[in-house]
Amino acid sequence: MKKVLVLAALLASFAFGKPLVYVLATGGTIAGSAAGGATDTAYTSGAVTVDALLKAVPQINDIAVVKGEQVANIGSQAMNNEIWLKLAKRVNELLKQKDVAGIVITHGTDTMEETAYFLNLTVKSDKPVVLVGAMRSSTSMSADGPLNLYNAVNVAINKESKGKGVLVAMNEEIHAAREVQKTNTTGVATFKSPNTGKIGSVFYGNVKYYLSPVRAHTKASEFDVSKLSELPKVEVVMGYANVDRAMLDAAISSGAKGIINAGVGNGSLYPTAEEAFGKAIKNGIIVARSSRVGSGETTRGGETNDDKFGSIATDNLSPAKARVLLMLGLTKTNDKAKLQEYFYKY
Ligand code: GLU
């Protein structure tokens, strides 16, 4: 009996002093498994549980006390508003606990940047929240998930990660949620921040920061989803040569409160889009001009006179992130000037 007590005390003393990190798992390639083995390019996302993920990286136990929770187990192409709300609420709940140092969220890479930005605007804490994933499945040769996960936990427990908003830690780089984008469909070095660059690096757990995000986030964000069970409907439509008006009208008549145009160049509009959006604006739908280019600003009053036309310009947010901000913006106001301000503030 005495021996057991001594052992328990010893174990407690090991755990004591180590920060507590929650790993919230949502699926993705990091939890993917290929039936054909190490070189199979076809695999199923979200096949591995959070416990199995953590078991694959025992080194994490040397640096933190880790608790895993399975929030979803999907390929992130199936991510939706409902899971975002659930995730934001759970993150806020956990971060209110004094003993929780930070949170790591494992996630598919396809929509990781959208989830990161949604949380960046809805988490009410300056404790670190770090998204991580993998480009190679857990059964693949040179799987990148284990080291990415180890690095992400290191980022989550690092004191300098506090107050930097939601972060994405992938392939030894740390990116700010607002800036990060997946830029390559298959390569491990896919996450980049085209407008600003990465804000830090994490090399075998060694964290270094070079920049801090300047746009408002987390504690300074005015968006509160704690009492929401759904978000206003906002859709994205693509700009390209010869756009058929029927595509645009379908989006406009879908019940959307807002439309993001992933326009060509500086968010410019094909003539059919100008007609369709002009009508939508008159009917009270918020139309925001973004760009499909992938970097750079969509400027207010570029080739479209937004003042006259009644549209909003999305600064340098990607169309998918502009949708996130417009959904949250519409939970507060329908005022176009205010919504435009959000795009400069966040
Ligand atoms: N479509 C999958 C997802 O986003 C694969 C991408 C990944 O996780 O790397 O979950």
Side-chain angles (χ1 to χ4, degrees):
M1 184 66 189
K2 208 172 170 190
K3 261 188 192 162
V4 175
L5 283 176
V6 170
L7 195 67
L10 208 67
L11 284 173
S13 74
F14 276 133
F16 184 75
K18 271 189 221 162
L20 173 60
V21 173
Y22 270 81
V23 175
L24 306 185
T26 68
T29 298
I30 191 167
S33 171
T39 57
D40 193 355
T41 56
Y43 61 92
T44 311
S45 274
V48 177
T49 64
V50 64
D51 295 336
L53 276 183
L54 292 170
K55 223 169 160 186
V57 198
Q59 295 82 355
I60 287 176
N61 301 314
D62 299 338
I63 54 167
V65 175
V66 181
K67 288 190 182 169
E69 265 184 34
Q70 197 78 47
V71 175
N73 212 357
I74 54 169
S76 73
Q77 62 271 38
M79 187 49 67
N80 58 35
N81 296 358
E82 198 184 328
I83 302 177
W84 280 348
L85 289 170
K86 183 175 164 190
L87 205 50
K89 287 172 190 173
R90 185 62 185 141
V91 168
N92 279 323
E93 202 170 71
L94 286 171
L95 291 182
K96 266 191 208 143
Q97 279 177 222
K98 267 214 162 90
D99 59 338
V100 177
I103 290 182
V104 169
I105 298 171
T106 60
H107 199 290
T109 56
D110 289 353
T111 57
M112 183 183 284
E113 67 215 54
E114 290 168 60
T115 302
Y117 189 53
F118 181 78
L119 295 173
N120 198 49
L121 299 176
T122 55
V123 166
K124 303 286 173 199
S125 168
D126 60 4
K127 290 182 189 174
V129 176
V130 185
L131 275 84
V132 67
M135 290 302 287
R136 297 181 183 137
S137 78
S138 70
T139 50
S140 151
M141 195 187 290
S142 296
D144 53 336
L147 182 54
N148 280 350
L149 184 55
Y150 178 72
N151 279 338
V153 174
N154 275 282
V155 173
I157 61 174
N158 192 284
K159 294 211 162 29
E160 280 188 58
S161 300
K162 252 188 143 179
K164 289 199 167 54
V166 173
L167 302 167
V168 166
M170 287 285 293
N171 198 44
E172 299 172 353
E173 296 189 350
I174 307 171
H175 292 267
R178 184 186 182 279
E179 310 301 335
V180 70
Q181 285 178 35
K182 189 175 188 179
T183 64
N184 187 290
T185 53
T186 55
V188 290
T190 180
F191 282 94
K192 301 286 168 211
S193 294
N195 290 309
T196 59
K198 66 182 178 184
I199 65 164
S201 66
V202 49
F203 190 58
Y204 292 98
N206 188 6
V207 176
K208 280 203 181 114
Y209 282 102
Y210 309 104
L211 300 166
S212 267
V214 295
R215 293 294 177 102
H217 58 72
T218 55
K219 278 171 92 173
S221 164
E222 61 214 90
F223 306 116
D224 179 5
V225 294
S226 61
K227 292 188 181 68
L228 297 182
S229 57
E230 56 186 4
L231 295 167
K233 183 171 159 67
V234 173
E235 298 299 333
V236 180
V237 291
M238 179 98 174
Y240 50 92
N242 214 68
V243 183
D244 187 336
R245 172 130 184 214
M247 306 288 285
L248 308 169
D249 285 338
I252 290 164
S253 58
S254 70
K257 301 270 176 287
I259 301 277
I260 306 290
N261 183 50
V264 295
N266 188 355
S268 295
L269 304 170
Y270 189 72
T272 51
E274 217 167 295
E275 287 161 26
F277 293 149
K279 196 172 154 208
I281 292 166
K282 285 200 179 81
N283 289 337
I285 295 176
I286 303 296
V287 172
R289 294 186 311 107
S290 184
S291 173
R292 69 178 197 182
V293 168
S295 67
E297 197 180 326
T298 301
T299 57
R300 198 170 163 83
E303 282 186 79
T304 302
N305 185 334
D306 294 289
D307 289 342
K308 213 165 138 208
F309 192 54
S311 47
I312 286 168
T314 59
D315 196 342
N316 61 2
L317 276 186
S318 68
K321 285 187 192 170
R323 173 180 171 265
V324 168
L325 180 54
L326 187 53
M327 284 194 303
L328 290 169
L330 286 168
T331 64
K332 306 272 296 179
T333 182
N334 285 315
D335 181 71
K336 275 186 254 180
K338 187 77 197 154
L339 289 165
Q340 180 65 72
E341 258 175 50
Y342 288 154
F343 279 91
Y344 296 134
K345 183 172 176 191
Y346 298 101

